[in-house]
Amino acid sequence: MTGSCRISVIICVYTEERWEDILAAVSSVRAQSLAALETLLVVDHNASLLDRLTREYKETDGVRVLANAGPRGLSAGRNTGITAAAGEILAFLDDDAVAERDWLRHFAAGYADPRVMAVGGRTMPVWESRRRPDWFPAEFDWVVGCTYKGLPEGRVRVRNVLGGNASFRRTAFEAAGGFATGIGRDGDKRPLGCEETELCIRLTRARPDAILLIDDRAVIHHRVPAARERFGYFRTRAYAEGLSKALVARSVGADKGLESERRYATRVLPAGVARGLRDALLGRRGGAGRAGAIVTGVVTAAGGYVVGSVRARGSGAAFRIPPTVEQGADGGAAGSHEQTGPTPGTTALGGGEAA
């Protein structure tokens, strides 16, 4: 399928502060060894950025600039791109990341099997300080939107892909609907997430035969600004992950919504703490800090999960899922419905996003 695969790339953007990053992301798509059918830049309620990008790419073939037709936030922006895209495969790239040359080629290869509904890749951190902070555990690289230690290597089947480096068949959205709004990121508000997790679980329920893959040869490099290298952001993001996992568990049930997180919490993280303590005993720099960060991350995410669960039960909180996304429709996905789902009966910490 590689040679004939029609792939639309969707990049959601929201701030002019990432102007150079956005240009670099688009350039990396245009340099792919397997050419994209088109690149869609979806601007999230920022008229100045919309105008500037429209002028920048006015005479550039294969690049379209669109306004988010839904409510503010990443999920609605993605849904706008899905609705407008012409490709049979829809790939998503973060606006502060660049893709390696064979990124789309590796995605396309995964769809040779017609049962494959999604293919994700490996996301590598590019630290603004030029080196990983000594205390920052690789097991928590999901905090900065990157592939974390504990994920399986190679091309493997997973519960869900990571949204900043992922692709889906169009028919996946026709079967399951779009990304849920009210669960993911919204500009500069609290850094929530898990919209990809919820979508992928919903997809495999709608299509029990669906296969979701991660191919770690499909690599992107994701910029980590200095502000996200700080321990304060680490704690904030871990807490937000717990809040998000509570919403996912409420939607799909705790058993499915937290199955990967339980394995992560009982296997990957204890091993990480042990390595950190061993390094500390051997006098290696950062070992105690990494062990302490893992423990802090676990406790903070668990606290967020508890708070999110109580809020969801008390308020009847719901989020909205656009129904089937039709190709060629104008604007965002038409219509929506409320999604609540069962209330989880157990508490577990949030963790990474893939199985």
Side-chain angles (χ1 to χ4, degrees):
M1 183 176 181
T2 302
S4 60
C5 193
R6 289 161 49 90
I7 304 179
S8 296
V9 177
I10 299 168
I11 304 173
C12 295
V13 303
Y14 72 97
T15 175
E16 289 185 81
E17 293 178 4
R18 293 187 177 179
W19 179 256
E20 296 299 329
D21 293 330
I22 295 167
L23 299 186
V26 173
S27 293
S28 75
V29 174
R30 300 187 72 204
Q32 290 294 298
S33 60
L34 176 65
L37 175 66
E38 60 184 350
T39 300
L40 281 66
L41 290 169
V42 184
V43 183
D44 191 18
H45 298 270
N46 185 326
S48 176
L49 179 58
L50 178 67
D51 179 67
R52 189 177 179 187
L53 285 171
T54 299
R55 287 185 278 109
E56 178 72 23
Y57 291 108
K58 182 178 181 180
E59 299 180 3
T60 303
D61 291 339
V63 179
R64 287 195 284 156
V65 180
L66 310 169
N68 179 2
R72 185 183 299 275
L74 180 58
S75 289
R78 286 173 173 165
N79 292 335
T80 296
I82 293 165
T83 303
E88 60 198 75
I89 305 299
L90 309 180
F92 297 89
L93 178 65
D94 275 346
D95 63 346
D96 52 356
V98 294
E100 291 192 359
R101 178 172 170 75
D102 292 327
W103 177 61
L104 291 181
R105 187 173 296 279
H106 291 306
F107 275 174
Y111 292 102
D113 184 338
R115 298 173 298 168
V116 173
M117 290 286 111
V119 182
R122 178 160 52 104
T123 301
M124 304 297 294
V126 180
W127 306 95
E128 187 169 315
S129 63
R130 301 189 178 226
R131 62 188 301 271
R132 173 187 294 275
D134 292 336
W135 60 268
F136 202 113
E139 292 83 358
F140 272 78
D141 276 5
W142 55 264
V143 164
V144 291
C146 296
T147 300
Y148 58 93
K149 187 177 184 65
L151 280 177
E153 298 179 353
R155 184 194 285 182
V156 293
R157 191 166 180 171
V158 293
R159 180 193 67 180
N160 62 276
V161 296
L162 305 176
N165 181 12
S167 63
F168 295 84
R169 288 192 194 273
R170 172 172 291 281
T171 52
F173 299 107
E174 293 170 358
F179 288 92
T181 59
I183 186 173
R185 288 181 180 257
D186 176 3
D188 294 320
K189 293 183 179 180
R190 188 188 299 276
L192 300 173
C194 296
E195 64 272 24
E196 303 92 1
T197 304
E198 191 278 334
L199 170 64
C200 289
I201 295 172
R202 184 164 23 101
L203 171 59
T204 52
R205 285 186 169 178
R207 290 284 303 270
D209 62 331
I211 293 174
L212 284 63
L213 300 175
I214 283 182
D215 186 338
D216 65 8
R217 299 171 300 171
V219 177
I220 70 170
H221 299 269
H222 186 273
R223 188 172 71 82
V224 182
R228 296 188 180 185
E229 297 183 17
R230 298 170 184 161
F231 192 65
Y233 180 82
F234 179 91
R235 289 181 304 181
T236 298
R237 179 67 184 89
Y239 181 76
E241 185 76 2
L243 293 175
S244 299
K245 282 293 190 290
L247 285 175
V248 171
R250 180 169 175 80
S251 171
V252 302
D255 288 345
K256 191 66 176 176
L258 298 172
E259 62 180 355
S260 295
E261 288 71 19
R262 291 192 182 99
R263 290 196 298 271
Y264 170 78
T266 58
R267 299 178 189 176
V268 176
L269 296 184
V273 171
R275 277 192 299 271
L277 293 176
R278 180 197 62 197
D279 287 348
L281 289 173
L282 294 174
R284 296 171 181 166
R285 190 166 65 179
R290 289 192 298 274
I294 291 174
V295 173
T296 299
V298 169
V299 172
T300 305
Y305 184 89
V306 171
V307 171
S309 298
V310 170
R311 288 177 180 173
R313 285 196 295 266
S315 64
F319 49 89
R320 301 176 69 83
I321 300 171
T324 299
V325 178
E326 299 291 347
Q327 183 174 349
D330 292 329
S336 60
H337 64 272
E338 296 291 338
Q339 175 75 22
T340 54
T343 299
T346 60
T347 298
L349 67 126
E353 305 243 345

